[in-house]
mmCIF file of all heavy atoms in Angstrom:
data_model
loop_
_atom_site.group_PDB
_atom_site.id
_atom_site.type_symbol
_atom_site.label_atom_id
_atom_site.label_comp_id
_atom_site.label_asym_id
_atom_site.label_seq_id
_atom_site.Cartn_x
_atom_site.Cartn_y
_atom_site.Cartn_z
ATOM 1 N N LEU A 244 136.228 116.638 100.736
ATOM 2 C CA LEU A 244 135.469 117.885 100.818
ATOM 3 C C LEU A 244 134.426 117.844 101.929
ATOM 4 O O LEU A 244 134.156 118.852 102.589
ATOM 5 C CB LEU A 244 134.758 118.162 99.483
ATOM 6 C CG LEU A 244 135.629 118.647 98.327
ATOM 7 C CD1 LEU A 244 134.792 118.768 97.062
ATOM 8 C CD2 LEU A 244 136.270 119.994 98.662
ATOM 9 N N TYR A 245 133.821 116.678 102.120
ATOM 10 C CA TYR A 245 132.746 116.515 103.106
ATOM 11 C C TYR A 245 133.041 115.278 103.964
ATOM 12 O O TYR A 245 132.507 114.194 103.725
ATOM 13 C CB TYR A 245 131.397 116.355 102.402
ATOM 14 C CG TYR A 245 131.063 117.472 101.454
ATOM 15 C CD1 TYR A 245 131.282 117.324 100.072
ATOM 16 C CD2 TYR A 245 130.553 118.687 101.915
ATOM 17 C CE1 TYR A 245 130.982 118.334 99.201
ATOM 18 C CE2 TYR A 245 130.251 119.720 101.040
ATOM 19 C CZ TYR A 245 130.474 119.530 99.682
ATOM 20 O OH TYR A 245 130.182 120.561 98.803
ATOM 21 N N PRO A 246 133.897 115.426 104.970
ATOM 22 C CA PRO A 246 134.269 114.275 105.820
ATOM 23 C C PRO A 246 133.095 113.625 106.526
ATOM 24 O O PRO A 246 133.166 112.448 106.902
ATOM 25 C CB PRO A 246 135.238 114.895 106.842
ATOM 26 C CG PRO A 246 135.752 116.140 106.176
ATOM 27 C CD PRO A 246 134.615 116.651 105.367
ATOM 28 N N ASP A 247 131.990 114.407 106.709
ATOM 29 C CA ASP A 247 130.827 113.851 107.404
ATOM 30 C C ASP A 247 129.822 113.199 106.449
ATOM 31 O O ASP A 247 128.828 112.601 106.891
ATOM 32 C CB ASP A 247 130.107 114.962 108.194
ATOM 33 C CG ASP A 247 129.585 116.073 107.288
ATOM 34 O OD1 ASP A 247 130.171 116.274 106.197
ATOM 35 O OD2 ASP A 247 128.595 116.734 107.656
ATOM 36 N N ALA A 248 130.074 113.286 105.141
ATOM 37 C CA ALA A 248 129.138 112.714 104.170
ATOM 38 C C ALA A 248 129.168 111.195 104.232
ATOM 39 O O ALA A 248 130.204 110.581 104.493
ATOM 40 C CB ALA A 248 129.488 113.184 102.754
ATOM 41 N N GLU A 249 128.007 110.582 103.989
ATOM 42 C CA GLU A 249 127.887 109.137 104.097
ATOM 43 C C GLU A 249 127.292 108.539 102.830
ATOM 44 O O GLU A 249 126.384 109.109 102.230
ATOM 45 C CB GLU A 249 126.989 108.749 105.291
ATOM 46 C CG GLU A 249 127.546 109.191 106.640
ATOM 47 C CD GLU A 249 126.595 108.878 107.792
ATOM 48 O OE1 GLU A 249 125.552 108.224 107.531
ATOM 49 O OE2 GLU A 249 126.888 109.275 108.930
ATOM 50 N N LEU A 250 127.808 107.380 102.468
ATOM 51 C CA LEU A 250 127.250 106.597 101.367
ATOM 52 C C LEU A 250 126.699 105.297 101.949
ATOM 53 O O LEU A 250 127.420 104.562 102.614
ATOM 54 C CB LEU A 250 128.334 106.284 100.319
ATOM 55 C CG LEU A 250 127.953 105.290 99.214
ATOM 56 C CD1 LEU A 250 126.794 105.838 98.372
ATOM 57 C CD2 LEU A 250 129.159 104.990 98.327
ATOM 58 N N HIS A 251 125.430 105.025 101.695
ATOM 59 C CA HIS A 251 124.785 103.831 102.231
ATOM 60 C C HIS A 251 124.323 102.948 101.081
ATOM 61 O O HIS A 251 123.583 103.389 100.202
ATOM 62 C CB HIS A 251 123.602 104.223 103.107
ATOM 63 C CG HIS A 251 124.011 104.894 104.387
ATOM 64 N ND1 HIS A 251 124.118 104.200 105.579
ATOM 65 C CD2 HIS A 251 124.378 106.173 104.642
ATOM 66 C CE1 HIS A 251 124.517 105.039 106.533
ATOM 67 N NE2 HIS A 251 124.680 106.245 105.988
ATOM 68 N N VAL A 252 124.792 101.721 101.097
ATOM 69 C CA VAL A 252 124.515 100.760 100.025
ATOM 70 C C VAL A 252 123.596 99.663 100.564
ATOM 71 O O VAL A 252 123.944 98.976 101.534
ATOM 72 C CB VAL A 252 125.815 100.136 99.486
ATOM 73 C CG1 VAL A 252 125.505 99.179 98.333
ATOM 74 C CG2 VAL A 252 126.781 101.227 99.014
ATOM 75 N N PHE A 253 122.433 99.521 99.914
ATOM 76 C CA PHE A 253 121.486 98.483 100.292
ATOM 77 C C PHE A 253 121.435 97.399 99.213
ATOM 78 O O PHE A 253 121.824 97.620 98.093
ATOM 79 C CB PHE A 253 120.098 99.090 100.480
ATOM 80 C CG PHE A 253 119.979 99.988 101.679
ATOM 81 C CD1 PHE A 253 120.337 101.329 101.592
ATOM 82 C CD2 PHE A 253 119.531 99.500 102.883
ATOM 83 C CE1 PHE A 253 120.235 102.165 102.681
ATOM 84 C CE2 PHE A 253 119.426 100.320 104.007
ATOM 85 C CZ PHE A 253 119.782 101.663 103.896
ATOM 86 N N SER A 254 120.960 96.220 99.611
ATOM 87 C CA SER A 254 120.795 95.056 98.723
ATOM 88 C C SER A 254 122.096 94.371 98.367
ATOM 89 O O SER A 254 122.105 93.300 97.760
ATOM 90 C CB SER A 254 120.050 95.443 97.443
ATOM 91 O OG SER A 254 118.748 95.918 97.748
ATOM 92 N N ILE A 255 123.220 94.983 98.698
ATOM 93 C CA ILE A 255 124.548 94.415 98.411
ATOM 94 C C ILE A 255 125.357 94.421 99.694
ATOM 95 O O ILE A 255 125.360 95.418 100.420
ATOM 96 C CB ILE A 255 125.277 95.227 97.316
ATOM 97 C CG1 ILE A 255 124.461 95.282 96.022
ATOM 98 C CG2 ILE A 255 126.665 94.632 97.041
ATOM 99 C CD1 ILE A 255 124.994 96.264 95.006
ATOM 100 N N LYS A 256 126.063 93.318 99.975
ATOM 101 C CA LYS A 256 126.884 93.279 101.176
ATOM 102 C C LYS A 256 128.085 92.388 100.942
ATOM 103 O O LYS A 256 128.019 91.165 101.097
ATOM 104 C CB LYS A 256 126.078 92.772 102.362
ATOM 105 C CG LYS A 256 126.694 93.112 103.716
ATOM 106 C CD LYS A 256 125.704 92.884 104.854
ATOM 107 C CE LYS A 256 126.258 93.374 106.177
ATOM 108 N NZ LYS A 256 125.288 93.217 107.282
ATOM 109 N N PRO A 257 129.228 92.958 100.542
ATOM 110 C CA PRO A 257 130.438 92.151 100.315
ATOM 111 C C PRO A 257 130.999 91.610 101.618
ATOM 112 O O PRO A 257 130.710 92.105 102.704
ATOM 113 C CB PRO A 257 131.398 93.168 99.671
ATOM 114 C CG PRO A 257 130.939 94.498 100.169
ATOM 115 C CD PRO A 257 129.439 94.389 100.298
ATOM 116 N N LYS A 258 131.837 90.579 101.486
ATOM 117 C CA LYS A 258 132.403 89.934 102.675
ATOM 118 C C LYS A 258 133.278 90.894 103.484
ATOM 119 O O LYS A 258 133.342 90.820 104.693
ATOM 120 C CB LYS A 258 133.202 88.705 102.258
ATOM 121 C CG LYS A 258 132.350 87.586 101.676
ATOM 122 C CD LYS A 258 133.205 86.386 101.291
ATOM 123 C CE LYS A 258 132.360 85.259 100.730
ATOM 124 N NZ LYS A 258 133.188 84.089 100.327
ATOM 125 N N ASN A 259 133.981 91.784 102.802
ATOM 126 C CA ASN A 259 134.915 92.685 103.486
ATOM 127 C C ASN A 259 134.315 94.080 103.668
ATOM 128 O O ASN A 259 135.008 95.093 103.592
ATOM 129 C CB ASN A 259 136.224 92.778 102.713
ATOM 130 C CG ASN A 259 136.001 93.212 101.256
ATOM 131 O OD1 ASN A 259 134.869 93.251 100.771
ATOM 132 N ND2 ASN A 259 137.093 93.546 100.576
ATOM 133 N N TYR A 260 132.993 94.163 103.919
ATOM 134 C CA TYR A 260 132.306 95.455 103.957
ATOM 135 C C TYR A 260 132.784 96.357 105.102
ATOM 136 O O TYR A 260 132.670 97.579 105.027
ATOM 137 C CB TYR A 260 130.795 95.244 104.060
ATOM 138 C CG TYR A 260 130.318 94.649 105.359
ATOM 139 C CD1 TYR A 260 129.881 95.477 106.387
ATOM 140 C CD2 TYR A 260 130.282 93.275 105.558
ATOM 141 C CE1 TYR A 260 129.450 94.921 107.592
ATOM 142 C CE2 TYR A 260 129.848 92.727 106.736
ATOM 143 C CZ TYR A 260 129.424 93.555 107.763
ATOM 144 O OH TYR A 260 129.006 93.020 108.940
ATOM 145 N N ILE A 261 133.324 95.775 106.164
ATOM 146 C CA ILE A 261 133.728 96.568 107.346
ATOM 147 C C ILE A 261 134.822 97.573 107.010
ATOM 148 O O ILE A 261 134.857 98.675 107.558
ATOM 149 C CB ILE A 261 134.160 95.631 108.487
ATOM 150 C CG1 ILE A 261 132.968 94.785 108.954
ATOM 151 C CG2 ILE A 261 134.728 96.438 109.663
ATOM 152 C CD1 ILE A 261 133.299 93.783 110.040
ATOM 153 N N LYS A 262 135.694 97.219 106.094
ATOM 154 C CA LYS A 262 136.829 98.098 105.779
ATOM 155 C C LYS A 262 136.392 99.421 105.164
ATOM 156 O O LYS A 262 137.147 100.401 105.188
ATOM 157 C CB LYS A 262 137.803 97.379 104.829
ATOM 158 C CG LYS A 262 137.290 97.234 103.407
ATOM 159 C CD LYS A 262 138.360 96.636 102.497
ATOM 160 C CE LYS A 262 137.896 96.597 101.033
ATOM 161 N NZ LYS A 262 138.942 96.043 100.157
ATOM 162 N N TYR A 263 135.171 99.482 104.643
ATOM 163 C CA TYR A 263 134.688 100.706 104.001
ATOM 164 C C TYR A 263 134.212 101.748 105.014
ATOM 165 O O TYR A 263 134.065 102.932 104.679
ATOM 166 C CB TYR A 263 133.537 100.393 103.045
ATOM 167 C CG TYR A 263 133.931 99.553 101.841
ATOM 168 C CD1 TYR A 263 133.791 98.176 101.846
ATOM 169 C CD2 TYR A 263 134.425 100.163 100.679
ATOM 170 C CE1 TYR A 263 134.155 97.396 100.744
ATOM 171 C CE2 TYR A 263 134.785 99.408 99.574
ATOM 172 C CZ TYR A 263 134.645 98.014 99.612
ATOM 173 O OH TYR A 263 134.991 97.262 98.518
#
Side-chain angles (χ1 to χ4, degrees):
L244 286 176
Y245 305 99
D247 62 333
E249 297 176 5
L250 171 62
H251 291 262
V252 182
F253 292 85
S254 299
I255 302 169
K256 198 166 187 178
K258 293 180 179 179
N259 56 349
Y260 68 94
I261 295 177
K262 72 175 185 179
Y263 293 95

